[in-house]
Amino acid sequence: MACFAPEDLQSASGPDLQSYHWRLLAQGDSWFSTAQAKLSAHANLLQELVLSKPAAAVNCAGQRESLAKVVELEAAPDFVRLLTAADAPVWDGILLSVGGNDLIKAAQTPVHLDGADIPLHLRLLRNQTEWGPPSAGVGRYFSEPGWTTYAEYLRANLRHLLTLRDQGPSAGKPIFMHCYAVPMPRPAGAADAGHGPWLYPALKAYAIPAADWAAVSRLMVMHLAQLLKTLMADKEQFPGLFVFDSTAVPLAAATPGASGISGDWHNEIHLNHSGCLKIGRAWSEHIEQVLTTGGIAVAAPPGGRGRARR
């Protein structure tokens, strides 16, 4: 799939979108980022999408490493314009990579901030005095009230985004989202960008035993995956939303404690080329099934191979 930036459309030598069979608009977090550090790691999920017919994606994620919010409209004028303007292209679909960074930020919320206690409904983790019984497993560390707050935040933002879609020329077109792979909490940040690690310090700050870190990470990511799939099933409030379950794609996990590239991971929360390749090929099949069947998606087999055109 050919990927372009919004400014490419304004160039005299810019792409002729009508020459492509499918035209897609993309917005997202660091999994879609075109920041040089990400491209050097071959870790842009969009660039691993493979469809059977010529396709183009205009990627509004740009150079940003992450989004502070699910729909950061003030910082994404190109995306809003290309989605809602009367003269905007009619897109065959919208690709979104959102929710993951918000989940990480929620997990990073401390127990205390500026001398004030942060209530349980505003954080995802419990401190030691709040832990449940050992019989609850790793769920004893998890704040269900905080999850309720996060889930409603995500629902509200996605409903708003669907409203924006239906205000423009691409009203009713499918919106494609992916779930996230389960990261291994470890001391592996983006050394070249000075960011991270992300989960590792948060779990340490909450004194969660290291033996439970991987399971806590899995619990949070699976909660997000289940939430997104539940929203997809609600066709009345979320019409045209299609979610691909990336958690079902087999990946090589990072080694606990590894500080650099390990398995299919470039750092703690970002995939490397092999990881993006595996998820990208499987997600491509899911996207194409929707585009070619008018919205009837059949589950793609984990690790499915895409077809031969990029």
Side-chain angles (χ1 to χ4, degrees), residues 58-72:
V58 177
N59 183 12
C60 298
Q63 295 290 322
R64 293 185 300 278
E65 276 293 308
S66 65
L67 295 178
K69 297 181 178 180
V70 171
V71 185
E72 199 175 51

Side-chain angles (χ1 to χ4, degrees), residues 210-261:
D212 291 332
W213 288 354
V216 171
S217 176
R218 179 173 180 80
L219 175 69
M220 292 190 292
V221 171
M222 296 307 288
H223 263 64
L224 177 55
Q226 185 56 49
L227 171 62
L228 292 177
K229 290 187 288 185
T230 299
L231 300 185
M232 178 178 68
D234 186 350
K235 297 303 182 186
E236 181 176 344
Q237 291 200 60
F238 299 92
L241 177 63
F242 294 90
V243 175
F244 174 69
D245 189 359
S246 307
T247 67
V249 178
L251 294 179
T255 301
S259 60
I261 296 173

Side-chain angles (χ1 to χ4, degrees), residues 160-223:
H160 181 49
L161 196 146
L162 265 65
T163 298
L164 289 177
R165 174 200 62 185
D166 293 340
Q167 291 175 355
S170 299
K173 294 295 185 178
I175 289 182
F176 298 101
M177 293 183 66
H178 62 79
C179 301
Y180 290 81
V182 179
M184 176 66 70
R186 59 193 181 98
D192 46 7
H195 303 305
W198 298 265
L199 286 174
Y200 173 76
L203 299 181
K204 287 185 66 177
Y206 274 91
I208 294 173
D212 291 332
W213 288 354
V216 171
S217 176
R218 179 173 180 80
L219 175 69
M220 292 190 292
V221 171
M222 296 307 288
H223 263 64

Side-chain angles (χ1 to χ4, degrees), residues 25-310:
L25 179 65
Q27 171 66 319
D29 54 24
S30 49
W31 277 31
F32 277 9
S33 173
T34 58
Q36 189 56 49
K38 297 287 293 174
L39 296 180
S40 297
H42 303 285
N44 183 315
L45 187 57
L46 276 183
Q47 294 185 336
E48 301 301 339
L49 297 183
V50 177
L51 301 177
S52 64
K53 297 178 180 178
V58 177
N59 183 12
C60 298
Q63 295 290 322
R64 293 185 300 278
E65 276 293 308
S66 65
L67 295 178
K69 297 181 178 180
V70 171
V71 185
E72 199 175 51
L73 297 180
E74 294 80 2
D78 289 327
F79 176 71
V80 175
R81 174 177 53 81
L82 289 170
L83 184 61
T84 64
D87 60 349
V90 176
W91 305 102
D92 295 294
I94 296 93
L95 301 168
L96 292 180
S97 180
V98 297
N101 284 330
D102 302 276
L103 185 71
I104 297 295
K105 287 181 179 295
Q108 292 173 331
T109 303
V111 177
H112 310 288
L113 184 64
D114 296 330
D117 294 340
I118 304 298
L120 198 56
H121 73 277
L122 295 180
R123 48 189 167 88
L124 280 187
L125 297 174
R126 296 175 178 269
N127 66 27
Q128 286 178 284
T129 63
E130 301 166 326
W131 289 354
S135 59
V138 296
R140 67 195 294 237
Y141 312 122
F142 189 65
S143 169
E144 291 293 349
W147 176 256
T148 298
T149 301
Y150 170 86
E152 183 49 45
Y153 159 78
L154 187 60
R155 287 191 193 97
N157 275 277
L158 288 178
R159 279 197 296 265
H160 181 49
L161 196 146
L162 265 65
T163 298
L164 289 177
R165 174 200 62 185
D166 293 340
Q167 291 175 355
S170 299
K173 294 295 185 178
I175 289 182
F176 298 101
M177 293 183 66
H178 62 79
C179 301
Y180 290 81
V182 179
M184 176 66 70
R186 59 193 181 98
D192 46 7
H195 303 305
W198 298 265
L199 286 174
Y200 173 76
L203 299 181
K204 287 185 66 177
Y206 274 91
I208 294 173
D212 291 332
W213 288 354
V216 171
S217 176
R218 179 173 180 80
L219 175 69
M220 292 190 292
V221 171
M222 296 307 288
H223 263 64
L224 177 55
Q226 185 56 49
L227 171 62
L228 292 177
K229 290 187 288 185
T230 299
L231 300 185
M232 178 178 68
D234 186 350
K235 297 303 182 186
E236 181 176 344
Q237 291 200 60
F238 299 92
L241 177 63
F242 294 90
V243 175
F244 174 69
D245 189 359
S246 307
T247 67
V249 178
L251 294 179
T255 301
S259 60
I261 296 173
S262 182
D264 284 325
W265 296 84
H266 181 67
N267 55 41
E268 187 190 35
I269 64 171
H270 298 111
L271 298 168
N272 58 23
H273 175 76
S274 64
C276 280
L277 180 71
K278 292 173 183 177
I279 289 182
R281 294 302 190 265
W283 192 24
S284 297
E285 295 188 1
H286 177 264
I287 292 169
E288 182 152 339
Q289 286 163 355
V290 175
L291 292 175
T292 57
T293 61
I296 301 173
V298 180
R305 295 176 61 86
R307 286 171 282 264
R309 180 183 288 273
R310 294 190 69 169

